[in-house]
Amino acid sequence: MNYTEFINAVKEEVKEHLEPDIIVELHTAMKNNGTIRKGLMIGRRGVNVSPAIYLEEFYEQYLKGKSISLLAETIQQIYEQVKVQNSYSCDNIFSYEKVKEKIVYKLIQREANENLLGEVPYEEFLDLALVFYVLLEATPFGNATLLVKNEHLGEWGVSKEEIMKAAEKNTPKLLPLRFEKLANFMYVMTNQPQNLGACTVCYPEACKKARETIGENFYVIPSSIHEMILIPESYGLNRLQLEIMAGEINSEDVEEEEVLSGNVYYYSGKEGRLIL
């Protein structure tokens, strides 16, 4: 059974075990870094926000021998955890006054997202880009979000600078910094939900406070769009070793859509900023 056949079979199996007012549809999405993912969109009639459950990992389990009925049962359980109970008013989304307190930012790679960046407002940051989204709902299992596009700025009657100002205020408040020691010589910087937390290096004073904790300048390895790894300068890794480490993280531990950058950054206390 190929992947397309598998998705259709899982769809029918899942539908049989859900209530009649639950809609199950095939879903294809263009994700970060141009990655295309396919899965199921599952939602209740009358609720206009539905979670997408992607099935690539389930297909791998199927190829290893797991039955479609068992996988469908697992998908049903996931849906019960992540389902959205309430609709979001379209009127609220079209009103800037009603969304401005929920606008936040995230970091993505510039080069791999050229097509996307042609459709959205963004701010350059080193070799990366800060893009903006409306945080509709945050849960332990994921977030309900709306990516801010150029067309939204027209509908809202605001500029990119206004969006950036709102995101600079909201992001550290809604998604607070989480900074902790990961190993004897490594630290990790992310947000409290540990979701899209690499952007915490852009929080005011975050890197400065990290330097105070570490006690010296440090290198930053983007381990994914979710977090940054900080390594003290005195640990003695040279540029090649750091780049090899970054490459190994991206190739072995991170899904393609979650890769942020293969570059390594350096925080200079004297300059008070990250440099490439």
Side-chain angles (χ1 to χ4, degrees):
M1 185 181 294
N2 63 34
Y3 186 54
T4 301
E5 293 169 336
F6 170 78
I7 293 176
N8 281 285
V10 170
K11 173 189 172 185
E12 296 305 316
E13 187 74 22
V14 169
K15 284 174 65 176
E16 287 186 12
H17 293 86
L18 293 173
E19 298 171 20
D21 65 335
I22 303 296
I23 301 171
V24 183
E25 299 177 331
L26 300 179
H27 177 70
T28 301
M30 176 73 76
K31 306 294 282 186
N32 188 47
N33 298 333
T35 304
I36 296 176
R37 300 202 68 184
K38 295 182 178 182
L40 300 178
M41 187 81 80
I42 307 176
R44 187 178 298 276
R45 296 182 193 277
V47 177
N48 62 4
V49 177
S50 302
I53 300 174
Y54 299 104
L55 302 182
E56 288 86 355
E57 292 81 5
F58 290 94
Y59 186 54
E60 291 178 9
Q61 295 179 40
Y62 167 75
L63 294 177
K64 292 177 181 178
K66 281 198 174 180
S67 68
I68 287 179
S69 60
L70 184 60
L71 294 173
E73 183 179 337
T74 302
I75 291 167
Q76 179 185 357
Q77 293 169 353
I78 292 172
Y79 167 71
E80 292 298 327
Q81 292 177 323
V82 303
K83 64 184 178 183
V84 178
Q85 299 286 1
N86 301 308
S87 288
Y88 292 93
S89 169
C90 292
D91 291 338
N92 288 348
I93 292 173
F94 292 130
S95 168
Y96 182 65
E97 287 300 313
K98 293 178 179 178
V99 300
K100 68 179 182 180
E101 301 296 328
K102 298 180 180 180
I103 293 174
V104 293
Y105 56 54
K106 63 181 177 180
L107 272 178
I108 64 173
Q109 190 179 151
R110 278 214 314 269
E111 185 177 352
N113 290 283
E114 286 185 359
N115 291 337
L116 172 65
L117 294 178
E119 302 176 2
V120 303
Y122 69 94
E123 186 78 16
E124 291 187 1
F125 180 78
L126 301 173
D127 63 321
L128 310 172
L130 281 168
V131 297
F132 310 97
Y133 62 100
V134 181
L135 184 61
L136 298 172
E137 181 176 305
T139 76
F141 306 101
N143 298 333
T145 65
L146 171 71
L147 182 66
V148 176
K149 296 189 175 183
N150 295 327
E151 60 198 62
H152 292 118
L153 300 191
E155 293 166 357
W156 294 336
V158 298
S159 65
K160 185 192 80 172
E161 289 69 28
E162 289 176 89
I163 295 292
M164 182 66 186
K165 186 176 180 180
E168 287 177 330
K169 173 188 173 184
N170 298 333
T171 313
K173 181 173 67 175
L174 297 178
L175 302 167
L177 176 69
R178 177 173 180 166
F179 180 68
E180 58 190 8
K181 200 165 188 177
L182 190 65
N184 290 335
F185 65 95
M186 287 186 186
Y187 297 78
V188 63
M189 184 180 286
T190 182
N191 55 28
Q192 289 296 337
Q194 296 178 276
N195 185 29
L196 302 176
C199 67
T200 48
V201 295
C202 302
Y203 287 8
E205 304 294 308
C207 285
K208 180 182 178 181
K209 291 178 180 177
R211 189 188 184 282
E212 291 172 358
T213 300
I214 296 172
E216 60 181 289
N217 292 348
F218 53 85
Y219 297 102
V220 177
I221 295 178
S223 65
S224 73
I225 57 176
H226 301 301
E227 65 182 23
M228 297 286 202
I229 291 176
L230 281 55
I231 300 177
E233 184 176 20
S234 64
Y235 191 70
L237 294 178
N238 61 38
R239 177 178 175 179
L240 179 60
Q241 290 171 316
L242 289 163
E243 288 178 348
I244 289 174
M245 182 181 293
E248 288 176 345
I249 290 171
N250 286 333
S251 63
E252 297 176 8
D253 301 327
V254 182
E255 297 289 339
E256 183 180 353
E257 70 180 85
E258 297 186 341
V259 171
L260 182 57
S261 174
N263 289 322
V264 177
Y265 313 115
Y266 177 75
Y267 182 77
S268 166
K270 183 178 180 180
E271 296 188 38
R273 65 187 180 97
L274 276 179
I275 58 178
L276 198 55

